[in-house]
Amino acid sequence: MLLRLLTLLCALLCEPTALLLKVSPPRPVDGNPMTLTCESQFARPEPHLQFRFMRHSQVLGRDWDNSSQLQVAAVWSGDTGVYWCEAKTAARRTIRSGGIWIQVQRVPVGNVRLETQPPGGHVAEGEKLVLVCSVTQATGDISFLWYRGALGLNLETKTQRSLTAKLEIPAVRESDADQYYCAADNGHGPSISTLVNIVVTIPVSRPGLTLSTPGAQALVGDTVELHCEAQRGSPPILYRFYCNDVTLGSSSAPSGGGVSFNLSLTAEHSGNYSCEADNGLRAQRSELVPLRVTAPIEDKIDLTSVVTEGLFGILGLIIIVLFFGCWLKRKIAQMSCFPRGFPWPRSPQFHYSSSECQVR
């Protein structure tokens, strides 16, 4: 009788009365693994126990398993909650551990950077600008925010589970030139990037060419001023001057605006003039401007005198030749009126006509 009483008392004392749930690491972090271990409290080992793990009354992993550990590959902040474990004995008795609160820690955002595409923050007007906000570390959902100007005008906010987010401006305008920065926050407070200066470069517009001469007409020897200017365009701007598509020279405008080029005219400088503006983004050619170079009036008078004198000289030579021809013809006619060997008279009593030979 006493032996039976001792056996019953021992059975009650040796039966497990509680389970203990342990978590490793004690403070799990977003994106990292976690191990749950269910330890039974026995006076002596109990074979054939089966275990399962619970969170908010939901079974984690297999429903019942011989293993007293559960490996979770990655936990996130959304996995925070009350966990416990249960064990079932061979006698199909279920024992439950006490619940523990497991707080999954988020990694605060760190090293927030704002970068641009194209790099360097220089973008041509009309091109696409991409503002890339990134963090080197953070877990969970991250809110990315983009700001413009020192006063922090919010442009856009995106929330995503990623270390990088992009804001695109499809076609940049000149007014978009400003300072920009971004911020990232995953619940531990925002972290802000440094300021990035965006420079919008403007391609040159079609330049205009003007020609200035001292008088109403362009004369040989005058100095003509060629002025070329593009109304829009980021400096520096390089200007080139052409006459009949032949390069005359070039000049640069470091701060923008127009430039002038002086040319001493010769007769060969008549033709069509143009200029070209180029700031590295685009080159534009002006319309053609015609210029006719004429000789001065004094030069014209001198030329007329030379021509006149030349004509008179030729005319005089012709007259001399004609007179000589007539004289020679009369001389020949006189010689033909006398026979060969005729004695010529010494006194001029004989008169000859050009038409016949007779003595008067």
Side-chain angles (χ1 to χ4, degrees), residues 6-67:
L6 291 174
T7 302
L8 179 59
L9 182 61
C10 181
L12 292 174
L13 292 174
C14 292
E15 187 170 326
T17 57
L19 295 174
L20 180 63
L21 177 63
K22 294 183 177 181
V23 59
S24 177
R27 296 169 65 89
V29 178
D30 260 345
N32 292 337
M34 178 181 71
T35 302
L36 299 176
T37 303
C38 192
E39 294 184 356
S40 59
Q41 305 296 314
F42 288 96
R44 55 189 175 89
E46 178 70 23
H48 308 301
L49 285 177
Q50 290 186 316
F51 301 89
R52 68 178 180 180
F53 298 86
M54 311 288 291
R55 181 178 69 86
H56 297 314
S57 300
Q58 294 182 350
V59 177
L60 303 176
R62 295 181 181 179
D63 191 9
W64 291 105
D65 191 77
N66 293 329
S67 176

Side-chain angles (χ1 to χ4, degrees), residues 211-215 217-226 260-266 269 273 291 293:
L211 276 62
S212 300
T213 56
Q217 290 182 330
L219 305 177
V220 173
D222 284 349
T223 298
V224 63
E225 181 186 50
L226 290 75
S260 295
F261 181 80
N262 293 328
L263 180 65
S264 181
L265 296 177
T266 65
H269 283 137
Y273 286 75
L291 178 67
V293 181

Side-chain angles (χ1 to χ4, degrees), residues 169-344:
I169 302 177
V172 172
R173 297 173 295 179
E174 185 177 7
S175 58
D176 291 325
D178 208 334
Q179 292 181 321
Y180 293 79
Y181 66 95
C182 71
D185 184 13
N186 67 344
H188 290 272
S191 183
I192 300 174
S193 72
T194 58
L195 288 170
V196 173
N197 192 40
I198 300 299
V199 178
V200 180
T201 53
I202 312 299
V204 292
S205 59
R206 189 175 190 181
L209 176 65
T210 57
L211 276 62
S212 300
T213 56
Q217 290 182 330
L219 305 177
V220 173
D222 284 349
T223 298
V224 63
E225 181 186 50
L226 290 75
H227 184 78
C228 187
E229 183 171 359
Q231 296 300 320
R232 297 185 76 239
S234 298
I237 303 175
L238 178 64
Y239 292 94
R240 300 181 182 91
F241 296 88
Y242 301 91
C243 176
N244 297 326
D245 288 331
V246 177
T247 304
L248 298 174
S250 63
S251 182
S252 179
S255 302
V259 297
S260 295
F261 181 80
N262 293 328
L263 180 65
S264 181
L265 296 177
T266 65
E268 290 76 17
H269 283 137
S270 292
N272 293 317
Y273 286 75
S274 63
C275 70
E276 182 183 70
D278 185 2
N279 66 346
L281 301 174
R282 183 172 61 195
Q284 291 270 51
R285 185 75 74 95
S286 71
E287 293 182 354
L288 294 176
V289 178
L291 178 67
R292 181 181 178 184
V293 181
T294 58
I297 297 177
E298 293 81 0
D299 293 347
K300 290 182 178 180
I301 294 175
D302 293 342
L303 180 61
T304 304
S305 300
V306 171
V307 173
T308 303
E309 292 176 359
L311 290 175
F312 275 115
I314 295 172
L315 183 60
L317 181 61
I318 293 174
I319 293 173
I320 292 173
V321 171
L322 291 175
F323 273 107
F324 179 76
C326 290
W327 176 85
L328 184 62
K329 182 178 179 181
R330 291 183 63 189
K331 197 70 173 175
I332 293 173
Q334 290 176 359
M335 293 175 63
S336 62
C337 292
F338 297 95
R340 182 174 299 178
F342 182 81
W344 293 93

